[in-house]
Structures are given as C-alpha cells and as structure tokens.
Amino acid sequence: MQFPNYFADADANFDEADFVIFGIPYDKTSSFRKGSIKAPDDIRKASWNFETYNLRTDVDIKDLKVHDYGNLDVTKDNPSIMIKKVRGFTSKILEKNKFPIAIGGEHSVTSGIIQAYPKDIAVLILDAHMDFRNIYENEKYNHACVTKRISDHVSIKNIVVLGARSAEKEEYIDAKNQNLFYIDSFYIKKNGIKKAINEIESILKNKKIYLTLDIDAIDPSYAPGTGTPEPFGITPFDVIEIIDSFYSNLIGFDVVEVCPNYDNGEASIIAAKIIRNVIEKSSLVI
Ligand code: MN
Ligand code: MN
C-alpha cells in the first residue's frame, strides 16, 4: 500500500491547524555519519504505521488539526543561511499562535528555531552530548555547538540538558563554569526518571518550555539510526515520562539526528511515535 508523503493524519491546512509539522533536511555539519537529511521523509513514512487512536493518551489524532508543511528548502545552504530560514519559518508559525513541530536534520537546526522565540523561555534538551562547544570545525552553527547557541539567546539558567553522557573535556569544564544544569543518563538509571523530573521542575518552575530531542539521548539499542551513537542512554519510556510531566508548559518540539541509513527503521519509528505523543498531550491544553 502506498501511503501519502505527509505525516500521518496531518491533513489540516496551515490556517486551520493548531500544530504545524515541518521538515528540515539538513546535515551539512554532521561529523561522524551523515544521512539525517533523509529523516523528515523517513519519519513521515514511519508515522503511517500507527493507529490514529492512541490507547495510552486516549486521544485520536483524527480529531486534531495538524498541518504538515513539507520540508524547508535548506539542504544546500551554508549553516547561517539555513538558520535564518528556519528562524523565519518558525516565526510565521508562532505569529499565528500555532505549535511548531520540527523534524531534523541535524541538531544545529534547533538554533534557528529557538531564535524565533522570546528570550524568557526555557529549553529542555534531551541529548547524549552536551553540544556546548563554542565552535567546531570552524563553524559556530555546527551541530556540536547547539546548546551553546541556544545559550546565546536564552539565559543559561533556563536551559537543562538531560541524558548527557559525552563531552569534550574543555567543553565540559566550560559547561561547569557556566553552571549549565545537566542530568546524565547514569544518574537517571540509578535514581529513576521521576527524581530527574522533580529536579528539572524545581529549576524550570512554571516557565514555558521548548523541548528538543536529539534521538541519540535514547540508547542506541532502541534507536541505532543516528549520527553519533553513544551507549548507555535513556529509554523511550523516559522520554514519554518527560512529555507527560511537562506537556502543559510545552510551546514547541523538535526531533533531530535520526539517520535512517544506519538502522532498520527503529529510530524513525520511535521519533514518529514521540511526535504523536507530543501532539496528543499538547492538544489537551491548547
Ligand atoms: Mn545534539
Ligand atoms: Mn547528540
């Protein structure tokens, strides 16, 4: 059976939609494995696997107004042009009071999205990596610098990195010196995701939260198809717990760094299901 080339059941038009999905097929700065350029369409394909009704959230996506814009034309741009286009398109969505859902692409795309938001938001980053280098391979919009770029726009005290377990030493020391709050995956394994969530809640209080999911936060045994896999990750259940805990404050979401060439579709399936969960839970409060 041939499925449509848009995200499953996202058949509202832009004007009527509450949620706008858009793909950002960009992987120019990826360091280890390229291929996240293919993720937006692969995740769309994977999304048709699921029933429209989700037993867990008791929401049927058919009842929601979701638009899939397609992909932004950024593939060949240099990073700063890509960032500008992403910021511009995200602004259009926010001006109309719609909820943006972006599908990367590599993690650098999130820098552009965040620039479209007011500076007083909080950003919750799920990632195996700190991404806190100031510059990498002569490029400040490299995907290894996204947390740093977010901190150019949003106060570092309103940023949380969850699931981190990899950093370069200099980057780690800089993050420590600047009091970047992070919770590593080993702490979560030992103390449980609930304890981590309580700590995040006390830091982000009742702020509006943008959530960015670098799929490599999740253990590569669940989601092998990613650019820089890092063992000892969090689980897809942990991600669902995060969404369930913060959905009433969420103001946008992206999933990045899925690299479909490197698995049998697992990473795209998980990404598609998590997108569905974000939309379903957020629909309860918009
Ligand atoms: Mn990342
Ligand atoms: Mn990462």
Side-chain angles (χ1 to χ4, degrees):
M1 182 175 168
Q2 186 70 39
F3 291 107
N5 60 359
Y6 56 89
F7 197 89
D9 308 295
D11 41 23
N13 66 41
F14 184 91
D15 288 330
E16 68 185 0
D18 294 315
F19 298 89
V20 176
I21 294 172
F22 59 110
I24 314 174
Y26 194 80
D27 67 359
K28 259 197 165 171
T29 80
S30 289
S31 33
F32 185 56
R33 296 165 166 176
K34 288 198 191 285
S36 64
I37 199 173
K38 295 191 175 143
D41 290 340
D42 206 64
I43 292 168
R44 287 184 176 100
K45 230 182 262 169
S47 69
W48 291 94
N49 169 51
F50 308 117
E51 303 292 350
T52 64
Y53 174 70
N54 185 342
L55 184 69
R56 194 186 79 87
T57 58
D58 191 27
V59 175
D60 194 319
I61 199 160
K62 272 205 294 206
D63 300 333
L64 308 181
K65 292 193 162 44
V66 185
H67 173 67
D68 184 346
Y69 174 83
N71 293 336
L72 300 190
D73 176 19
V74 292
T75 301
K76 296 195 170 108
D77 293 331
N78 68 41
S80 53
I81 303 284
M82 177 276 289
I83 295 286
K84 223 172 142 182
K85 286 185 182 171
V86 170
R87 178 180 67 216
F89 187 71
T90 309
S91 298
K92 274 188 204 160
I93 298 172
L94 296 177
E95 274 160 23
K96 303 279 182 190
N97 287 316
K98 301 174 190 301
F99 190 109
I101 307 260
I103 310 176
E106 56 172 55
H107 211 167
S108 54
V109 305
T110 307
S111 315
I113 298 169
I114 293 298
Q115 287 177 7
Y117 282 89
K119 285 175 175 289
D120 62 351
I121 64 163
V123 182
L124 178 52
I125 302 168
L126 310 192
D127 205 319
H129 309 91
M130 291 227 174
D131 289 348
F132 203 65
R133 285 171 157 106
N134 191 39
I135 192 158
Y136 190 60
E137 291 177 339
N138 278 322
E139 177 53 64
K140 69 173 191 157
Y141 286 115
N142 190 286
H143 72 152
C145 308
V146 63
T147 305
K148 192 77 171 178
R149 292 293 79 78
I150 291 169
S151 76
D152 293 341
H153 187 73
V154 173
S155 165
I156 201 155
K157 60 180 202 303
N158 295 327
I159 298 174
V160 169
V161 181
L162 186 81
R165 53 198 180 275
S166 168
E168 178 211 31
K169 191 164 183 190
E170 196 184 321
E171 174 190 15
Y172 174 69
I173 291 167
D174 185 30
K176 277 278 198 199
N177 287 342
Q178 301 215 32
N179 295 319
L180 174 67
F181 183 77
Y182 75 95
I183 299 177
D184 68 42
S185 56
F186 304 101
Y187 181 92
I188 296 166
K189 174 72 180 161
K190 196 169 169 190
N191 300 287
I193 190 69
K194 285 278 184 212
K195 181 145 196 310
I197 286 168
N198 288 342
E199 290 179 28
I200 297 168
E201 273 167 350
S202 73
I203 297 223
L204 301 184
K205 303 261 164 28
N206 287 316
K207 287 198 152 302
K208 299 280 176 212
I209 298 173
Y210 182 89
L211 177 63
T212 173
L213 170 64
D214 182 329
I215 201 80
D216 68 27
I218 298 172
D219 192 85
S221 63
Y222 295 99
T226 186
T228 46
E230 184 70 39
F232 306 109
I234 63 173
T235 72
F237 287 102
D238 294 333
V239 178
I240 291 299
E241 284 285 334
I242 296 278
I243 295 164
D244 284 2
S245 303
F246 294 107
Y247 71 89
S248 55
N249 292 358
L250 280 193
I251 50 170
F253 173 72
D254 67 60
V255 55
V256 296
E257 299 286 353
V258 169
C259 210
N261 292 353
Y262 291 92
D263 67 2
N264 292 315
E266 296 93 331
S268 288
I269 288 279
I270 289 175
K273 191 72 183 187
I274 289 172
I275 290 170
R276 290 282 293 257
N277 273 272
V278 169
I279 293 172
E280 289 156 12
K281 295 298 285 190
S282 299
S283 77
L284 304 174
V285 289
I286 58 164

